[in-house]
Amino acid sequence: MSKVQEDFLVDYTQKITPEQYVAWFKDRIFLDEQPNYAKVKIPMLAVCGEKEFSEIKTSVVELGKRNQNCQTLFLKGGRHDFSLRMPAVLNPLLSNFFSCGRIEK
């Protein structure tokens, strides 16, 4: 990530208001309220870092449990910002998934 990108992200996150944070949590989608999720037939990939917050790891596990077409992946050493800090690990995995619909573990 370049210094310009870092500065942009720092500036952007400081502008997020408490009301926006509340809206993110208030307007969540709950799997229990999505009965058709289990019927989705396309390949899906749910990814998070192995050091992610427990609630997010639980959500990723549930996505995989509730639909056999959803592959789950936990990136070793990854935290909440793994997509920013681990692009050399993540991007090839995503490219592989996009080309064949699965990631070989």
Side-chain angles (χ1 to χ4, degrees), residues 63-79:
L63 288 168
K65 281 183 183 177
R66 295 180 188 218
N67 187 304
Q68 65 181 0
N69 295 306
C70 182
Q71 184 178 0
T72 59
L73 179 65
F74 295 88
L75 296 179
K76 184 175 181 165
R79 297 183 184 280

Side-chain angles (χ1 to χ4, degrees), residues 1-14 81 84-85:
M1 179 180 308
S2 72
K3 178 71 170 134
V4 171
Q5 290 169 317
E6 289 176 6
D7 290 344
F8 171 80
L9 286 173
V10 168
D11 183 58
Y12 175 80
T13 56
Q14 291 175 352
D81 59 352
L84 297 173
R85 297 191 181 272

Side-chain angles (χ1 to χ4, degrees), residues 17-86:
T17 67
E19 292 80 17
Q20 287 170 313
Y21 277 114
V22 168
W24 287 338
F25 290 104
K26 180 180 163 232
D27 298 327
R28 293 180 289 181
I29 295 174
F30 294 95
L31 280 179
D32 290 341
E33 297 171 0
Q34 305 300 320
N36 289 325
Y37 173 74
K39 299 175 187 174
V40 175
K41 301 292 184 201
I42 61 170
M44 296 178 282
L45 179 64
V47 183
C48 80
E50 70 176 5
K51 295 181 179 180
E52 179 60 88
F53 302 113
S54 64
E55 296 84 0
I56 294 175
K57 289 193 293 189
T58 299
S59 293
V60 168
V61 169
E62 284 298 313
L63 288 168
K65 281 183 183 177
R66 295 180 188 218
N67 187 304
Q68 65 181 0
N69 295 306
C70 182
Q71 184 178 0
T72 59
L73 179 65
F74 295 88
L75 296 179
K76 184 175 181 165
R79 297 183 184 280
H80 187 66
D81 59 352
F82 72 87
S83 59
L84 297 173
R85 297 191 181 272
M86 303 175 72

